[in-house]
Amino acid sequence: GGGWKAGYGKQWYQRRVRGANNTNYGLAAGVFTKNVDKMYQVSSALKAGHVWGNTYNVLVTQSPFGGYKESGFGRDLGEYALSSYTEVKCVTMAVPQKNS
């Protein structure tokens, strides 16, 4: 949807994303724009564990929260947080037939 705005062309956005990603950390980021396609492109390119669009610091307990790179290990909140407390195991057994 739509071209990049004059004065704020694609290269301008790419430089901003490179600058934002040029860090050892990546906990969270915010993208503010009226263009949903641009928001998706920029948020996909950002190396951050949580990206807010047109808002900031809104946490929902069902959504995972955690960072990339040196901004933490694993995820808090949501279903992904359970993986830190569980271990997958597969059990296969033959069950004797019941004699009736």
Coordinates of all heavy atoms in Angstrom, one line a residue:
G1 N 0.7 -1.2 0.0 CA 0.0 0.0 0.0 C 0.8 1.3 0.0 O 1.3 1.7 1.0
G2 N 0.9 1.9 -1.2 CA 1.4 3.2 -1.3 C 2.9 3.3 -1.2 O 3.5 2.4 -0.7
G3 N 3.4 4.3 -1.8 CA 4.9 4.5 -1.9 C 5.4 5.1 -0.6 O 4.6 5.5 0.3
W4 N 6.7 5.2 -0.5 CA 7.3 5.9 0.7 C 7.2 7.4 0.5 O 7.4 7.9 -0.6 CB 8.8 5.4 0.8 CG 8.9 4.0 1.1 CD1 8.9 2.9 0.2 CD2 8.9 3.4 2.4 NE1 9.0 1.8 0.9 CE2 9.0 2.0 2.2 CE3 8.9 3.9 3.7 CZ2 9.0 1.1 3.3 CZ3 8.9 3.0 4.8 CH2 9.0 1.6 4.6
K5 N 6.9 8.1 1.5 CA 6.7 9.5 1.5 C 8.0 10.2 1.1 O 9.0 9.9 1.5 CB 6.3 9.9 2.9 CG 5.3 11.0 3.0 CD 5.1 11.3 4.5 CE 3.7 11.9 4.7 NZ 3.5 12.3 6.0
A6 N 7.8 11.3 0.2 CA 8.9 12.1 -0.2 C 9.5 12.7 1.1 O 8.9 13.2 2.0 CB 8.4 13.2 -1.1
G7 N 10.8 12.7 1.1 CA 11.5 13.2 2.3 C 11.8 12.1 3.4 O 12.6 12.2 4.2
Y8 N 10.9 11.1 3.4 CA 11.0 10.0 4.3 C 11.0 8.7 3.4 O 10.1 7.9 3.6 CB 9.9 10.0 5.3 CG 10.0 11.1 6.3 CD1 9.2 12.2 6.1 CD2 10.9 11.1 7.3 CE1 9.3 13.3 7.0 CE2 11.0 12.2 8.2 CZ 10.2 13.3 8.0 OH 10.3 14.3 8.9
G9 N 11.9 8.6 2.5 CA 11.9 7.5 1.5 C 12.3 6.2 2.2 O 12.7 6.1 3.4
K10 N 12.4 5.1 1.4 CA 12.7 3.8 2.0 C 14.1 3.8 2.6 O 14.3 3.2 3.6 CB 12.6 2.8 0.8 CG 12.7 1.4 1.3 CD 12.3 0.4 0.2 CE 12.3 -1.0 0.7 NZ 11.8 -1.9 -0.3
Q11 N 15.0 4.5 2.0 CA 16.4 4.5 2.5 C 16.4 5.2 3.9 O 17.2 4.8 4.8 CB 17.3 5.2 1.6 CG 17.6 4.5 0.3 CD 18.5 5.2 -0.6 OE1 18.8 6.4 -0.5 NE2 19.1 4.5 -1.6
W12 N 15.6 6.2 4.1 CA 15.5 6.9 5.4 C 15.1 5.9 6.5 O 15.7 5.8 7.5 CB 14.5 8.1 5.3 CG 14.4 8.9 6.5 CD1 15.2 10.0 6.8 CD2 13.6 8.7 7.7 NE1 14.9 10.5 8.1 CE2 13.8 9.8 8.6 CE3 12.5 7.8 7.9 CZ2 13.2 9.9 9.8 CZ3 11.9 8.0 9.1 CH2 12.2 9.0 10.0
Y13 N 14.0 5.1 6.2 CA 13.5 4.1 7.1 C 14.6 3.0 7.3 O 14.7 2.6 8.5 CB 12.2 3.5 6.6 CG 11.0 4.4 6.8 CD1 10.6 5.2 5.7 CD2 10.4 4.5 8.0 CE1 9.5 6.1 5.9 CE2 9.3 5.4 8.1 CZ 8.9 6.2 7.1 OH 7.8 7.0 7.2
Q14 N 15.2 2.6 6.3 CA 16.2 1.5 6.4 C 17.4 2.0 7.3 O 17.9 1.2 8.2 CB 16.8 1.1 5.1 CG 15.8 0.3 4.2 CD 16.2 0.1 2.8 OE1 17.1 0.8 2.3 NE2 15.7 -0.9 2.2
R15 N 17.8 3.3 7.2 CA 18.8 3.8 8.1 C 18.4 3.8 9.5 O 19.1 3.5 10.5 CB 19.3 5.2 7.6 CG 20.2 5.2 6.4 CD 20.8 6.6 6.2 NE 19.9 7.7 6.1 CZ 19.3 8.1 5.0 NH1 19.6 7.5 3.9 NH2 18.5 9.1 5.0
R16 N 17.1 4.2 9.8 CA 16.6 4.2 11.1 C 16.5 2.8 11.7 O 16.8 2.6 12.9 CB 15.2 4.9 11.2 CG 15.1 6.3 10.7 CD 16.2 7.1 11.5 NE 16.4 8.5 11.0 CZ 17.1 8.9 10.0 NH1 17.6 8.0 9.1 NH2 17.4 10.1 9.8
V17 N 16.1 1.8 11.0 CA 16.0 0.5 11.4 C 17.5 -0.1 11.7 O 17.7 -0.7 12.8 CB 15.3 -0.5 10.4 CG1 15.5 -1.9 10.8 CG2 13.8 -0.1 10.4
R18 N 18.4 0.2 10.8 CA 19.8 -0.2 11.1 C 20.3 0.4 12.4 O 21.0 -0.2 13.2 CB 20.7 0.2 9.9 CG 20.8 -0.8 8.8 CD 22.0 -0.6 7.9 NE 22.1 0.7 7.4 CZ 21.5 1.2 6.3 NH1 20.7 0.4 5.6 NH2 21.6 2.4 5.9
G19 N 20.0 1.7 12.6 CA 20.4 2.4 13.8 C 19.8 1.8 15.1 O 20.5 1.6 16.1
A20 N 18.5 1.5 15.0 CA 17.8 0.9 16.1 C 18.4 -0.5 16.4 O 18.5 -1.0 17.6 CB 16.3 0.8 15.8
N21 N 18.8 -1.3 15.4 CA 19.3 -2.6 15.6 C 20.7 -2.7 15.9 O 21.3 -3.7 16.3 CB 19.0 -3.5 14.3 CG 17.6 -3.8 14.1 OD1 16.8 -3.8 15.0 ND2 17.2 -4.1 12.8
N22 N 21.4 -1.5 15.8 CA 22.9 -1.5 16.1 C 23.1 -1.3 17.6 O 23.7 -0.3 18.0 CB 23.5 -0.3 15.3 CG 25.0 -0.3 15.4 OD1 25.6 -1.4 15.6 ND2 25.6 0.8 15.2
T23 N 22.7 -2.3 18.3 CA 22.9 -2.3 19.8 C 23.0 -3.8 20.2 O 22.6 -4.7 19.5 CB 21.7 -1.6 20.5 OG1 21.9 -1.7 21.9 CG2 20.4 -2.2 20.1
N24 N 23.5 -4.0 21.4 CA 23.6 -5.3 22.0 C 22.2 -5.8 22.6 O 22.1 -6.9 23.0 CB 24.6 -5.4 23.1 CG 26.0 -5.2 22.5 OD1 26.3 -5.5 21.3 ND2 26.9 -4.8 23.3
Y25 N 21.3 -4.9 22.6 CA 20.0 -5.1 23.3 C 18.9 -5.1 22.3 O 19.0 -4.5 21.2 CB 19.8 -4.1 24.4 CG 21.0 -4.1 25.4 CD1 22.0 -3.2 25.3 CD2 21.1 -5.2 26.3 CE1 23.0 -3.2 26.2 CE2 22.2 -5.2 27.2 CZ 23.2 -4.2 27.1 OH 24.2 -4.2 28.0
G26 N 17.8 -5.6 22.7 CA 16.6 -5.6 21.9 C 15.3 -6.0 22.6 O 14.6 -6.9 22.2
L27 N 15.1 -5.3 23.7 CA 13.9 -5.7 24.5 C 12.6 -5.2 23.8 O 11.7 -6.1 23.6 CB 14.0 -5.0 25.9 CG 12.8 -5.4 26.9 CD1 12.8 -6.9 27.1 CD2 13.0 -4.6 28.2
A28 N 12.5 -4.0 23.5 CA 11.2 -3.5 22.9 C 11.4 -2.3 22.0 O 12.5 -1.7 22.1 CB 10.3 -3.1 24.1
A29 N 10.4 -2.0 21.2 CA 10.5 -0.9 20.3 C 9.1 -0.4 20.0 O 8.1 -1.1 20.2 CB 11.2 -1.3 18.9
G30 N 9.0 0.8 19.5 CA 7.7 1.4 19.1 C 7.7 1.9 17.7 O 8.7 2.6 17.4
V31 N 6.7 1.7 17.0 CA 6.6 2.3 15.6 C 5.3 3.1 15.5 O 4.2 2.6 15.9 CB 6.5 1.1 14.6 CG1 6.4 1.7 13.2 CG2 7.8 0.2 14.7
F32 N 5.5 4.3 15.1 CA 4.3 5.2 15.0 C 4.1 5.7 13.6 O 5.0 6.3 13.0 CB 4.5 6.4 15.9 CG 4.4 6.1 17.4 CD1 5.5 5.6 18.1 CD2 3.2 6.2 18.1 CE1 5.4 5.2 19.4 CE2 3.1 5.8 19.4 CZ 4.2 5.3 20.1
T33 N 3.0 5.3 13.0 CA 2.7 5.7 11.6 C 1.3 5.4 11.3 O 0.6 4.6 12.0 CB 3.6 4.8 10.6 OG1 3.3 5.2 9.2 CG2 3.4 3.4 10.7
K34 N 0.7 6.1 10.3 CA -0.6 5.9 9.9 C -0.7 4.7 8.9 O -1.8 4.2 8.6 CB -1.2 7.2 9.2 CG -1.4 8.3 10.2 CD -1.9 9.5 9.5 CE -2.0 10.7 10.5 NZ -2.4 11.9 9.9
N35 N 0.4 4.3 8.3 CA 0.4 3.3 7.3 C 0.7 2.0 7.9 O 1.8 1.7 8.3 CB 1.5 3.7 6.2 CG 1.4 2.8 5.0 OD1 1.4 1.6 5.1 ND2 1.5 3.4 3.8
V36 N -0.3 1.1 7.9 CA -0.1 -0.2 8.5 C 0.9 -1.1 7.7 O 1.6 -1.8 8.4 CB -1.5 -1.0 8.5 CG1 -1.4 -2.4 9.1 CG2 -2.5 -0.2 9.4
D37 N 1.0 -1.0 6.4 CA 2.0 -1.7 5.7 C 3.4 -1.3 6.1 O 4.3 -2.2 6.3 CB 1.8 -1.5 4.2 CG 0.6 -2.2 3.6 OD1 0.1 -3.2 4.2 OD2 0.0 -1.7 2.6
K38 N 3.6 -0.1 6.3 CA 4.9 0.4 6.7 C 5.2 0.0 8.1 O 6.4 -0.4 8.4 CB 5.0 1.9 6.6 CG 4.7 2.5 5.3 CD 5.9 2.7 4.4 CE 5.6 3.4 3.1 NZ 4.4 3.0 2.3
M39 N 4.2 0.0 9.0 CA 4.4 -0.5 10.3 C 4.8 -1.9 10.4 O 5.7 -2.3 11.1 CB 3.1 -0.3 11.2 CG 3.3 -0.6 12.6 SD 1.8 -0.4 13.6 CE 1.3 1.2 13.2
Y40 N 4.2 -2.7 9.5 CA 4.5 -4.2 9.5 C 5.9 -4.3 8.9 O 6.7 -5.1 9.5 CB 3.5 -4.9 8.5 CG 3.9 -6.4 8.4 CD1 3.6 -7.3 9.4 CD2 4.5 -6.8 7.3 CE1 4.0 -8.6 9.3 CE2 4.9 -8.2 7.2 CZ 4.6 -9.0 8.2 OH 5.0 -10.3 8.1
Q41 N 6.3 -3.6 7.9 CA 7.7 -3.7 7.3 C 8.7 -3.4 8.4 O 9.7 -4.1 8.6 CB 7.8 -2.9 6.1 CG 7.0 -3.4 4.9 CD 7.1 -2.4 3.7 OE1 7.6 -1.3 3.9 NE2 6.6 -2.8 2.6
V42 N 8.5 -2.2 9.0 CA 9.5 -1.8 10.0 C 9.5 -2.7 11.2 O 10.6 -3.1 11.7 CB 9.2 -0.3 10.4 CG1 10.1 0.1 11.5 CG2 9.4 0.6 9.2
S43 N 8.4 -3.1 11.8 CA 8.4 -3.9 12.9 C 9.0 -5.3 12.6 O 9.6 -5.9 13.5 CB 6.9 -4.1 13.5 OG 6.1 -4.7 12.6
S44 N 8.8 -5.8 11.4 CA 9.4 -7.1 11.0 C 11.0 -7.0 11.0 O 11.7 -7.9 11.3 CB 8.9 -7.5 9.7 OG 7.5 -7.8 9.8
A45 N 11.4 -5.8 10.6 CA 12.9 -5.6 10.5 C 13.6 -5.3 11.8 O 14.8 -5.5 11.9 CB 13.2 -4.4 9.5
L46 N 12.8 -4.8 12.8 CA 13.4 -4.5 14.1 C 13.8 -5.8 14.8 O 13.0 -6.7 14.9 CB 12.5 -3.6 14.9 CG 12.3 -2.2 14.4 CD1 11.1 -1.5 15.1 CD2 13.6 -1.4 14.6
K47 N 15.0 -5.8 15.4 CA 15.4 -6.9 16.2 C 15.1 -6.6 17.7 O 15.9 -6.3 18.5 CB 16.9 -7.2 16.0 CG 17.2 -7.7 14.6 CD 18.6 -8.0 14.5 CE 19.0 -8.7 13.2 NZ 18.3 -8.3 12.0
A48 N 13.8 -6.7 18.0 CA 13.3 -6.5 19.3 C 12.2 -7.5 19.7 O 11.5 -8.0 18.8 CB 12.7 -5.1 19.4
G49 N 12.2 -7.9 20.9 CA 11.3 -9.0 21.3 C 9.8 -8.6 21.3 O 9.0 -9.4 21.2
H50 N 9.6 -7.3 21.5 CA 8.2 -6.8 21.5 C 8.2 -5.5 20.8 O 9.0 -4.6 21.0 CB 7.8 -6.6 23.0 CG 6.3 -6.4 23.1 ND1 5.6 -7.3 23.9 CD2 5.4 -5.6 22.6 CE1 4.3 -7.0 23.8 NE2 4.2 -5.9 23.0
V51 N 7.3 -5.3 19.8 CA 7.2 -4.1 19.0 C 5.7 -3.6 19.2 O 4.8 -4.4 18.9 CB 7.5 -4.3 17.6 CG1 7.4 -3.0 16.8 CG2 9.0 -4.8 17.4
W52 N 5.6 -2.4 19.7 CA 4.3 -1.8 19.8 C 4.0 -0.9 18.5 O 5.0 -0.3 18.1 CB 4.2 -0.9 21.0 CG 4.1 -1.7 22.3 CD1 3.0 -2.4 22.8 CD2 5.1 -1.9 23.2 NE1 3.2 -3.0 23.9 CE2 4.5 -2.7 24.3 CE3 6.4 -1.5 23.3 CZ2 5.3 -3.1 25.4 CZ3 7.1 -1.9 24.4 CH2 6.6 -2.7 25.5
G53 N 2.8 -0.9 18.1 CA 2.4 -0.1 16.9 C 1.4 1.0 17.4 O 0.4 0.7 17.8
N54 N 1.8 2.2 17.2 CA 1.0 3.4 17.6 C 0.5 3.4 19.0 O -0.5 4.0 19.4 CB -0.2 3.5 16.6 CG 0.1 3.8 15.2 OD1 1.2 4.4 15.0 ND2 -0.7 3.5 14.3
T55 N 1.3 2.7 19.8 CA 1.1 2.7 21.3 C 2.4 2.3 21.9 O 3.4 2.0 21.2 CB 0.0 1.8 21.7 OG1 -0.3 2.0 23.1 CG2 0.3 0.3 21.4
Y56 N 2.5 2.3 23.2 CA 3.8 1.9 23.8 C 3.5 1.4 25.2 O 2.7 1.9 26.0 CB 4.8 3.0 23.9 CG 6.2 2.5 24.0 CD1 6.9 1.9 23.0 CD2 6.8 2.5 25.3 CE1 8.2 1.4 23.2 CE2 8.1 2.0 25.5 CZ 8.8 1.5 24.4 OH 10.0 0.9 24.6
N57 N 4.3 0.4 25.6 CA 4.2 -0.2 27.0 C 2.9 -0.8 27.4 O 2.5 -0.7 28.5 CB 4.7 0.8 28.0 CG 5.3 0.1 29.2 OD1 5.8 -1.0 29.1 ND2 5.4 0.8 30.3
V58 N 2.2 -1.3 26.4 CA 0.9 -2.0 26.7 C 1.2 -3.5 26.8 O 1.6 -4.1 25.8 CB -0.1 -1.8 25.6 CG1 -1.4 -2.5 25.8 CG2 -0.4 -0.3 25.4
L59 N 1.0 -4.1 28.0 CA 1.3 -5.5 28.2 C 0.0 -6.2 28.4 O -0.9 -5.8 29.2 CB 2.2 -5.7 29.4 CG 3.6 -5.0 29.3 CD1 4.3 -5.2 30.6 CD2 4.4 -5.6 28.2
V60 N -0.1 -7.4 27.7 CA -1.3 -8.2 27.9 C -0.7 -9.6 28.3 O 0.2 -10.1 27.8 CB -2.0 -8.4 26.5 CG1 -3.1 -9.3 26.6 CG2 -2.4 -7.0 25.9
T61 N -1.3 -10.1 29.4 CA -0.8 -11.3 30.0 C -0.7 -12.5 29.1 O 0.0 -13.4 29.2 CB -1.5 -11.7 31.3 OG1 -2.9 -11.9 31.0 CG2 -1.3 -10.7 32.4
Q62 N -1.6 -12.5 28.0 CA -1.6 -13.7 27.1 C -0.5 -13.5 26.0 O -0.2 -14.5 25.3 CB -3.0 -13.7 26.4 CG -4.1 -14.0 27.3 CD -4.7 -12.8 27.9 OE1 -4.2 -11.7 27.8 NE2 -5.8 -12.9 28.6
S63 N 0.1 -12.4 25.9 CA 1.2 -12.2 24.9 C 2.5 -12.4 25.5 O 2.8 -11.9 26.6 CB 1.1 -10.8 24.4 OG -0.2 -10.6 23.8
P64 N 3.4 -13.1 24.8 CA 4.8 -13.3 25.4 C 5.6 -12.0 25.4 O 5.4 -11.1 24.5 CB 5.4 -14.2 24.4 CG 4.6 -14.1 23.1 CD 3.3 -13.7 23.5
F65 N 6.4 -11.8 26.4 CA 7.3 -10.6 26.5 C 8.7 -11.0 26.8 O 8.9 -11.8 27.8 CB 6.7 -9.7 27.6 CG 7.5 -8.4 27.6 CD1 7.2 -7.4 26.7 CD2 8.5 -8.2 28.5 CE1 7.9 -6.2 26.8 CE2 9.2 -7.0 28.6 CZ 9.0 -6.0 27.7
G66 N 9.6 -10.6 26.1 CA 11.0 -10.8 26.3 C 11.8 -10.2 25.2 O 11.3 -9.9 24.2
G67 N 13.1 -10.2 25.4 CA 14.0 -9.5 24.4 C 14.8 -10.4 23.5 O 14.9 -11.6 23.7
Y68 N 15.4 -9.7 22.6 CA 16.4 -10.3 21.7 C 17.8 -10.0 22.2 O 18.0 -9.1 23.0 CB 16.3 -9.8 20.3 CG 15.1 -10.3 19.4 CD1 14.0 -10.9 20.0 CD2 15.1 -10.1 18.1 CE1 13.0 -11.4 19.2 CE2 14.1 -10.6 17.3 CZ 13.0 -11.2 17.9 OH 12.0 -11.6 17.1
K69 N 18.8 -10.7 21.7 CA 20.2 -10.5 22.0 C 20.4 -10.5 23.5 O 20.0 -11.5 24.2 CB 20.6 -9.2 21.4 CG 20.4 -9.1 19.9 CD 21.0 -7.8 19.3 CE 19.9 -7.0 18.6 NZ 20.4 -5.8 18.0
E70 N 21.0 -9.5 24.1 CA 21.3 -9.5 25.5 C 20.2 -8.9 26.4 O 20.5 -8.5 27.5 CB 22.6 -8.7 25.7 CG 23.9 -9.3 25.1 CD 25.1 -8.5 25.3 OE1 25.3 -7.9 26.4 OE2 26.0 -8.5 24.4
S71 N 19.0 -8.9 25.9 CA 17.9 -8.3 26.6 C 17.1 -9.4 27.3 O 15.9 -9.4 27.2 CB 17.0 -7.5 25.8 OG 17.6 -6.3 25.5
G72 N 17.8 -10.4 27.8 CA 17.0 -11.4 28.5 C 17.1 -12.8 27.8 O 17.5 -12.9 26.7
F73 N 16.6 -13.7 28.6 CA 16.6 -15.1 28.1 C 15.2 -15.6 28.2 O 14.6 -15.6 29.3 CB 17.5 -16.0 29.0 CG 17.5 -17.4 28.6 CD1 18.2 -17.9 27.5 CD2 16.8 -18.3 29.4 CE1 18.2 -19.2 27.1 CE2 16.8 -19.7 29.0 CZ 17.5 -20.1 27.9
G74 N 14.6 -16.2 27.2 CA 13.3 -16.7 27.2 C 12.2 -15.6 27.1 O 12.5 -14.5 26.8
R75 N 11.0 -16.1 27.5 CA 9.8 -15.2 27.4 C 9.0 -15.2 28.7 O 8.9 -16.3 29.3 CB 8.9 -15.5 26.2 CG 9.5 -15.4 24.9 CD 9.6 -13.9 24.6 NE 10.2 -13.6 23.3 CZ 11.5 -13.3 23.1 NH1 12.3 -13.3 24.1 NH2 11.9 -13.1 21.9
D76 N 8.6 -14.1 29.1 CA 7.6 -14.0 30.3 C 6.2 -13.8 29.7 O 6.1 -13.3 28.6 CB 7.9 -12.8 31.1 CG 9.3 -13.0 31.9 OD1 9.6 -14.1 32.2 OD2 9.9 -11.9 32.1
L77 N 5.3 -14.2 30.4 CA 3.8 -14.0 30.1 C 3.5 -15.0 28.9 O 4.3 -15.4 28.2 CB 3.5 -12.6 29.7 CG 3.9 -11.5 30.8 CD1 3.6 -10.1 30.2 CD2 3.1 -11.8 32.1
G78 N 2.2 -15.2 28.8 CA 1.7 -16.0 27.6 C 2.2 -17.5 27.7 O 2.9 -17.9 28.6
E79 N 1.7 -18.2 26.7 CA 2.0 -19.6 26.6 C 3.5 -19.9 26.5 O 4.0 -20.9 27.0 CB 1.3 -20.2 25.4 CG 1.4 -21.7 25.2 CD 0.6 -22.2 24.1 OE1 -0.4 -21.6 23.7 OE2 1.0 -23.3 23.5
Y80 N 4.3 -19.0 25.8 CA 5.7 -19.3 25.7 C 6.5 -19.3 27.0 O 7.5 -19.9 27.1 CB 6.3 -18.2 24.8 CG 6.0 -18.4 23.3 CD1 4.9 -17.6 22.8 CD2 6.7 -19.2 22.5 CE1 4.6 -17.8 21.4 CE2 6.3 -19.4 21.2 CZ 5.3 -18.7 20.6 OH 4.9 -18.8 19.3
A81 N 5.9 -18.6 28.0 CA 6.6 -18.6 29.3 C 6.6 -20.0 30.0 O 7.5 -20.3 30.8 CB 5.9 -17.6 30.2
L82 N 5.6 -20.8 29.7 CA 5.5 -22.1 30.3 C 6.6 -23.0 29.9 O 7.0 -23.9 30.6 CB 4.2 -22.8 29.9 CG 2.9 -22.0 30.4 CD1 1.7 -22.7 29.8 CD2 2.9 -22.0 31.9
S83 N 7.3 -22.8 28.7 CA 8.3 -23.7 28.3 C 9.5 -23.6 29.3 O 10.3 -24.6 29.3 CB 8.8 -23.3 26.9 OG 9.3 -22.0 26.9
S84 N 9.7 -22.6 30.0 CA 10.8 -22.5 31.0 C 10.5 -23.4 32.2 O 11.4 -23.7 32.9 CB 10.9 -21.0 31.5 OG 11.2 -20.2 30.5
Y85 N 9.3 -23.8 32.4 CA 8.9 -24.6 33.6 C 8.5 -26.0 33.2 O 8.1 -26.8 34.1 CB 7.8 -23.9 34.3 CG 8.1 -22.5 34.7 CD1 7.6 -21.4 34.0 CD2 8.9 -22.2 35.8 CE1 7.9 -20.1 34.4 CE2 9.2 -21.0 36.2 CZ 8.7 -19.9 35.5 OH 9.0 -18.6 35.8
T86 N 8.6 -26.3 32.0 CA 8.2 -27.7 31.5 C 9.2 -28.3 30.7 O 10.1 -27.7 30.1 CB 6.8 -27.6 30.7 OG1 7.1 -26.8 29.6 CG2 5.7 -27.0 31.5
E87 N 9.1 -29.6 30.5 CA 10.0 -30.4 29.7 C 9.1 -31.4 28.9 O 8.3 -32.1 29.5 CB 11.1 -31.1 30.5 CG 12.2 -31.6 29.6 CD 13.4 -32.0 30.4 OE1 13.5 -31.6 31.6 OE2 14.2 -32.8 29.9
V88 N 9.3 -31.5 27.6 CA 8.5 -32.4 26.8 C 9.0 -33.8 27.0 O 10.2 -34.1 27.0 CB 8.6 -32.0 25.3 CG1 7.8 -33.0 24.5 CG2 8.0 -30.6 25.2
K89 N 8.1 -34.7 27.1 CA 8.4 -36.1 27.2 C 7.4 -36.9 26.4 O 6.2 -36.6 26.4 CB 8.4 -36.6 28.7 CG 8.7 -38.1 28.8 CD 8.5 -38.6 30.2 CE 9.7 -38.1 31.1 NZ 9.7 -38.6 32.4
C90 N 7.9 -37.9 25.7 CA 7.0 -38.8 24.9 C 7.0 -40.1 25.6 O 8.1 -40.7 25.8 CB 7.5 -38.9 23.5 SG 6.5 -40.0 22.5
V91 N 5.8 -40.7 25.9 CA 5.7 -42.0 26.4 C 4.9 -42.9 25.5 O 3.8 -42.5 25.1 CB 5.0 -42.0 27.8 CG1 4.8 -43.4 28.4 CG2 5.8 -41.1 28.8
T92 N 5.4 -44.0 25.1 CA 4.8 -44.9 24.2 C 4.7 -46.2 24.9 O 5.7 -46.8 25.4 CB 5.5 -45.1 22.8 OG1 5.7 -43.8 22.3 CG2 4.8 -46.0 21.9
M93 N 3.5 -46.8 25.0 CA 3.3 -48.1 25.7 C 2.2 -48.9 25.0 O 1.3 -48.4 24.4 CB 3.0 -47.9 27.1 CG 1.6 -47.3 27.4 SD 1.2 -47.2 29.2 CE 2.2 -45.9 29.7
A94 N 2.4 -50.2 25.1 CA 1.4 -51.1 24.6 C 0.4 -51.4 25.8 O 0.9 -51.7 26.9 CB 2.0 -52.4 24.1
V95 N -0.8 -51.3 25.5 CA -1.8 -51.5 26.5 C -2.5 -52.8 26.2 O -3.0 -53.1 25.1 CB -2.9 -50.4 26.5 CG1 -4.0 -50.6 27.6 CG2 -2.2 -49.0 26.8
P96 N -2.5 -53.8 27.2 CA -3.1 -55.1 27.0 C -4.6 -54.9 26.7 O -5.3 -54.1 27.3 CB -2.9 -55.9 28.2 CG -2.3 -54.9 29.2 CD -2.0 -53.6 28.5
Q97 N -5.1 -55.8 25.8 CA -6.5 -55.7 25.5 C -7.3 -56.3 26.6 O -6.9 -57.3 27.3 CB -6.8 -56.5 24.2 CG -6.3 -55.9 23.0 CD -6.7 -56.7 21.7 OE1 -7.0 -57.9 21.8 NE2 -6.7 -56.0 20.6
K98 N -8.4 -55.7 26.9 CA -9.3 -56.2 27.9 C -10.1 -57.4 27.4 O -10.6 -57.4 26.4 CB -10.3 -55.1 28.4 CG -11.2 -55.5 29.5 CD -12.0 -54.3 29.9 CE -13.0 -54.7 31.0 NZ -13.9 -53.6 31.3
N99 N -10.0 -58.5 28.2 CA -10.8 -59.7 27.8 C -12.2 -59.6 28.4 O -12.4 -59.5 29.6 CB -10.1 -61.0 28.4 CG -8.8 -61.2 27.7 OD1 -8.6 -60.8 26.6 ND2 -7.9 -61.9 28.5
S100 N -13.2 -59.6 27.5 CA -14.6 -59.5 28.0 C -15.3 -60.8 28.0 O -15.1 -61.7 27.3 CB -15.4 -58.5 27.3 OG -14.9 -57.9 26.2

